[in-house]
Amino acid sequence: MCESKILHEVTAANDAYAADFGDKGKLALPPARGFAILTCMDARLDPAKYAGLAEGDAHVIRNAGGRASDDAIRSLVISHKLLGTKEWFVIHHTDCGMELFTTEIIGDLLADDLSTAHFDGKSWSNPQHKGGSVAGRYINWLTIRDLAGSVIEDVRRIRSHPLVPGDIPVYGFIYDVRTGRLIEVPDATAAGKIVA
Amino acid sequence: MCESKILHEVTAANDAYAADFGDKGKLALPPARGFAILTCMDARLDPAKYAGLAEGDAHVIRNAGGRASDDAIRSLVISHKLLGTKEWFVIHHTDCGMELFTTEIIGDLLADDLSTAHFDGKSWSNPQHKGGSVAGRYINWLTIRDLAGSVIEDVRRIRSHPLVPGDIPVYGFIYDVRTGRLIEVPDATAAGKIVA
């Protein structure tokens, strides 16, 4: 177990959490507050903290960018259809890594080498060139060109999905990593309003 | 803004968080502790708490089941290739909703009606029958039949993916929602060990 420092730290932190678990073991499966958040995997974001969630409150779906991918839609539909959530948030954030590359750039980098690339503040380069995989060229990486625009488009995609009922409001926000504040994107929330 | 109680509560909680944001606005984009966690969207799970993460530490990817979907792989590859994470965790959990249905069951439910279904402890039924969408039949819902088995398969899928370099260890765990404890799945971690 302890070959890895990270593995040791994570299990030690978990021991401390479990030792003071209290009544949390009695929580029910469906989210008590009946909503779901779709947001980015970014390390600086803690949705439980920035949105005030206790264990048991809400579903949290996270991927690179907080995008309304097919898999995020799968999760949101399960969240409503089987577990009863009635309101959804799409929350992207400032200084997102998804704004720093394109599907073409990561396809080229991965075809050349799989190890971590270097970013000089303007462009990416591979320190090694051991030969990567062309598999990256067959993936849509869902990068972001325009931050507010990506929130609006993701809300629109969710709103117009055939498996999403019209009575679920979808709110669009941007989290500011410099201030910790959620800033509403009014055009997104408007696009996500309840429809007949 | 305040038509919705949830929207009001979330923005009020965010105001309190942002008011005491401290130095977190200076955190860098790449995860400081260099790892990523793939886990379930379940409301009872707080990965930051159960694994001891502060803001800025690690990427957190979440979907229904914590499954190694195409979109989770997209996120993990970005996490390593562009943002430098070097170790990954796959963490499913006990009492997961994904064990309570099959792709066929949710396909049938959605084809009949989109609103939330009822579960009587054994089977699902629709309270309404307004006509749903057949779109659900074209989605693989990535349900779970065997909990440890799903962790092992997800780790195997990540390990064998052409865009995942062999020097990233992938650890497999189950989070126990009754105790808060992370329990390693040794066969998963073995399947996820570094390869030449």
Side-chain angles (χ1 to χ4, degrees):
Chain A
M1 284 285 285
C2 303
E3 309 156 30
S4 157
K5 176 168 169 279
I6 291 295
L7 192 50
H8 176 73
E9 288 172 358
V10 165
T11 53
N14 179 253
D15 284 343
Y17 178 64
D20 191 25
F21 200 56
D23 278 343
K24 291 194 280 286
K26 297 174 186 158
L27 289 168
L29 200 168
R33 292 172 62 201
F35 68 101
I37 291 176
L38 168 60
T39 195
C40 185
M41 71 178 181
D42 189 286
R44 294 165 295 182
L45 274 54
D46 186 333
K49 287 190 183 164
Y50 78 51
L53 311 179
E55 290 94 328
D57 278 357
H59 284 143
V60 180
I61 300 155
R62 301 180 67 175
N63 63 32
R67 303 307 310 270
S69 61
D70 288 351
D71 196 52
I73 302 253
R74 175 183 71 88
S75 301
L76 286 168
V77 171
I78 290 169
S79 175
H80 170 73
K81 178 69 196 170
L82 302 183
L83 297 168
T85 62
K86 296 182 185 336
E87 299 175 66
W88 296 344
F89 293 75
V90 173
I91 306 177
H92 296 180
H93 65 95
T94 60
D95 194 35
C96 185
M98 301 303 285
E99 298 176 282
L100 302 178
F101 65 104
T102 62
T103 282
E104 288 67 31
I105 287 170
I106 192 169
D108 287 348
L109 288 167
L110 287 165
D112 177 48
D113 193 89
L114 299 182
S115 65
T116 301
H118 172 73
F119 187 64
D120 67 7
K122 268 188 107 169
S123 62
W124 296 90
S125 58
N126 278 327
Q128 302 184 59
H129 310 275
K130 292 184 181 173
S133 164
V134 296
R137 298 207 195 275
Y138 296 79
I139 294 173
N140 182 333
W141 295 87
L142 302 177
T143 59
I144 294 176
R145 270 182 306 180
D146 172 63
L147 187 51
S150 70
V151 178
I152 296 166
E153 290 191 1
D154 281 356
V155 169
R156 278 195 187 140
R157 189 189 177 209
I158 294 167
R159 174 79 297 147
S160 62
H161 194 279
L163 296 174
V164 173
D167 61 355
I168 299 178
V170 187
Y171 314 119
F173 281 85
I174 290 169
Y175 174 83
D176 185 333
V177 297
R178 297 291 156 232
T179 64
R181 287 206 178 274
L182 289 173
I183 301 149
E184 192 165 20
V185 181
D187 288 349
T189 299
K193 72 177 190 299
I194 293 174
V195 291
Chain B
M1 283 285 286
C2 302
E3 309 157 30
S4 157
K5 177 168 166 279
I6 290 296
L7 192 50
H8 177 73
E9 288 172 358
V10 165
T11 52
N14 178 253
D15 283 344
Y17 178 65
D20 191 25
F21 201 56
D23 278 343
K24 291 194 280 288
K26 296 175 187 160
L27 289 167
L29 199 167
R33 292 171 63 199
F35 68 101
I37 289 176
L38 168 60
T39 196
C40 185
M41 70 178 180
D42 190 285
R44 295 165 295 181
L45 275 53
D46 187 333
K49 286 189 183 164
Y50 78 53
L53 311 179
E55 290 94 328
D57 278 358
H59 284 144
V60 180
I61 300 154
R62 301 180 68 173
N63 63 33
R67 304 305 310 269
S69 61
D70 288 351
D71 196 52
I73 302 255
R74 174 182 71 88
S75 301
L76 286 169
V77 170
I78 289 168
S79 174
H80 170 72
K81 178 68 194 170
L82 302 184
L83 296 168
T85 63
K86 295 181 184 339
E87 300 176 64
W88 297 342
F89 294 74
V90 173
I91 306 179
H92 297 180
H93 66 94
T94 60
D95 194 36
C96 185
M98 301 302 286
E99 298 176 281
L100 302 177
F101 66 104
T102 62
T103 282
E104 288 67 30
I105 288 170
I106 192 168
D108 287 349
L109 289 166
L110 287 165
D112 177 48
D113 193 272
L114 299 183
S115 65
T116 301
H118 173 72
F119 187 63
D120 67 7
K122 268 189 109 170
S123 62
W124 296 90
S125 59
N126 278 329
Q128 302 184 58
H129 309 275
K130 292 186 183 171
S133 165
V134 296
R137 300 206 194 277
Y138 296 78
I139 293 174
N140 182 333
W141 294 87
L142 302 178
T143 59
I144 294 177
R145 272 183 306 180
D146 173 65
L147 188 51
S150 70
V151 179
I152 295 167
E153 288 190 1
D154 281 356
V155 170
R156 276 195 188 138
R157 190 192 176 206
I158 293 167
R159 174 79 297 148
S160 62
H161 194 280
L163 295 175
V164 174
D167 60 355
I168 298 179
V170 187
Y171 314 119
F173 282 85
I174 291 169
Y175 174 83
D176 186 334
V177 296
R178 298 291 157 230
T179 64
R181 287 207 178 275
L182 288 173
I183 301 150
E184 192 166 20
V185 181
D187 287 350
T189 300
K193 71 176 191 299
I194 293 175
V195 292

